[in-house]
Amino acid sequence: MSHAPTMFPARLTSRPEIEAEIARRLAAERARLERESGIQGRPVEHFKRPAELAFTADQRDRVTILIGGLTWKHDALVRAALQSAGYRVEVMPTPDVPAFQIGKEFGNNGQCNPTYFMVGHLIQFLQNLERQGLSRQEIIDRYVFFTAGSCGPCRFGMYEAEYRLAVQNAGFDGFRVLLFQQDEGVKSASNEPGLKFTVDFGMGAFNALNFGDVLNDVTYQIRPFEVRAGETDRVVDECMAYLTERMREREMYDLKKSTSFLGSRMARTPKVEGIFNTLGKVYDHLYGTQTAETLRDLRDRLGVIEVDRLRVKPIVKVTGEFWAQTTEGDGNFRMFSFLEREGAQVMVEPIGTWAMYMLWLQKATHIAKKGLDGDGLRQRLQHRLKLAYFAMGRRFYMNQYRRVVRALGDIAHPLVSLEELAALASPYYNVFARGGEGHMEVAKNIYYTKHKKCHMVLSLKPFGCMPSSQSDGVQSAVMSHFKDMIFLPIETSGEGEVNAHSRVQMALGEAKIKAKAEFQQALESTRKRIDDVRAFVADHPALRSPFYKVPHRRGITGTAANFVLHVSDLMDRRSPRAAA
């Protein structure tokens, strides 16, 4: 029997001897390659993260924090929350195409457009400061940028590095970037307490995001039906000016200022004072007189807008990648204003859904890992305790969101159940496949179609976005099971606006036909003339209020179709709610 030649000499019989021979040959080959490439003898220089200028507490009165990237309402409210906590804050304008081009000039190739837009936007802002007379060193010393950070399979986890590389390439080497990590919260890269997380700051930011979500939703529900063109924007601008001022000038709760006997007694013991002062701050931010009065005033201001809900408009639910579905500028081809000009009613996505997704993912991951760390009594108790914490967090967030919804007219959409979204997506998409919106793009498409919440789903995402591309591949199977679904994915970038708008117009045309047919069927089912319905609405001012809550009929999607059925019931006195 013949034997294949061995790779090693016969004298090498033991495993240690063979591994030593392998190491010798590798070293010899490495030395040969180094000689041929001319790098032999060069010292090995390992990469080290560049030292960053610290942002410390004593700099707060002279260092300005730059923020931006959300809706203008959210940005303004977060700014007010930071200012109320004692920080100097400036909101950068909405990124535009010139910012995108600057981002491509100074950033790496192959990034997704949120990075290009935002990093170019930052450089553009710094260059404007320089043109105004500030030196680059003054800019580096007096400004920092606050952005989101993450980890995972998509390029979102590299944003921090890309920001630093691009500003360095633009000549602002050493410019500081502060991160809000999804798993670590607020910190500076140097771990210095320049941006310190306090109860007032945390609760102020929490309210800012909830107020921004609900006010944004209410705005997009009222504006398509406003009787006087431009009134909604004017009133919302006034509301935002009022709300940001109230948040910025808010008087913070302090137990030491309490005039009650119990409060003064508790303030004498440091530990007791610390606990009850914290609880008092949380309660004051959520339920205090200042918050209640502010929300009541906002509702009164918005309530003066007159609406006409008999206008037939297709409802378009916007989903997709977080930044692309949130920004209101060139980053998504100004899609929200375009849809409204084309006659659509836009259903926006609240930031609260993303927060609830992160909480749901932590809970689902914890359940999936049950038993990996042991299955003793202690481990089972710890498992149940963590599940209780997740349940408390979910209930707290949902309740606070509903509270703001009720305070601002009770017409904003509630947060969607993440458990239901996971159940809808699981036959098509692994709910543990992280990155971007995860399974939610698929789940939302099914949810809003199945429950007749919209006529069309528009998914906005950056070009080349890996998680969104995965979702788009799955959507073909979803659409084959939901024949009446109108779903359109749009890849956003700094170019191609005309083509994107054209594609949306074609899909929107189909949605308009569906909405008009639905309204006509609803009207015919009432056996009433549209003129008679309009006359009844004209005689009852409550029906023209933006906060008149129209019941949603099973199987009926459009606002006008639901409204005409409800008005018909009022005319026949079949509804338990008689219009005033």
Side-chain angles (χ1 to χ4, degrees), residues 317 319 335 445 456-461 472 479 485-491 500-508:
K317 172 61 184 176
T319 66
M335 193 58 72
N445 192 16
M456 167 183 163
V457 177
L458 175 64
S459 180
L460 302 173
K461 69 278 304 289
D472 287 348
M479 295 175 69
M485 179 180 289
I486 302 178
F487 171 75
L488 178 65
I490 292 290
E491 283 200 339
H501 285 179
S502 177
R503 292 184 59 204
V504 172
Q505 281 178 322
M506 289 189 290
L508 190 59

Side-chain angles (χ1 to χ4, degrees), residues 220-271:
Y220 278 97
Q221 288 204 58
I222 296 176
R223 186 164 49 210
F225 304 101
E226 62 184 9
V227 173
R228 293 175 288 275
E231 184 178 21
T232 304
D233 287 338
R234 178 184 61 79
V235 172
V236 169
D237 287 346
E238 294 174 357
C239 287
M240 283 298 301
Y242 168 75
L243 179 56
T244 52
E245 181 182 4
R246 290 296 300 267
M247 292 185 66
R248 184 170 52 250
E249 304 299 330
R250 183 185 186 90
E251 182 179 352
M252 300 304 176
Y253 175 85
D254 190 346
L255 183 62
K256 294 179 180 178
K257 298 178 181 179
S258 175
T259 57
S260 68
F261 173 77
L262 183 60
S264 59
R265 293 284 295 179
M266 289 188 296
R268 296 178 184 177
T269 306
K271 289 186 177 180

Side-chain angles (χ1 to χ4, degrees), residues 134-190:
L134 292 179
S135 68
R136 293 189 174 182
Q137 190 58 49
E138 286 176 320
I139 294 171
I140 292 170
D141 292 340
R142 292 165 53 181
Y143 289 88
V144 297
F145 180 59
F146 181 30
T147 186
S150 180
C151 60
C154 73
R155 287 162 289 191
F156 188 32
M158 297 298 295
Y159 277 14
E160 174 198 4
E162 297 297 347
Y163 286 137
R164 290 199 173 94
L165 174 64
V167 296
Q168 179 183 1
N169 291 341
F172 298 93
D173 190 14
F175 184 81
R176 289 165 289 179
V177 177
L178 301 180
L179 289 182
F180 181 85
Q181 287 281 65
Q182 292 171 355
D183 54 349
E184 297 179 23
V186 180
K187 70 171 188 177
S188 80
S190 60

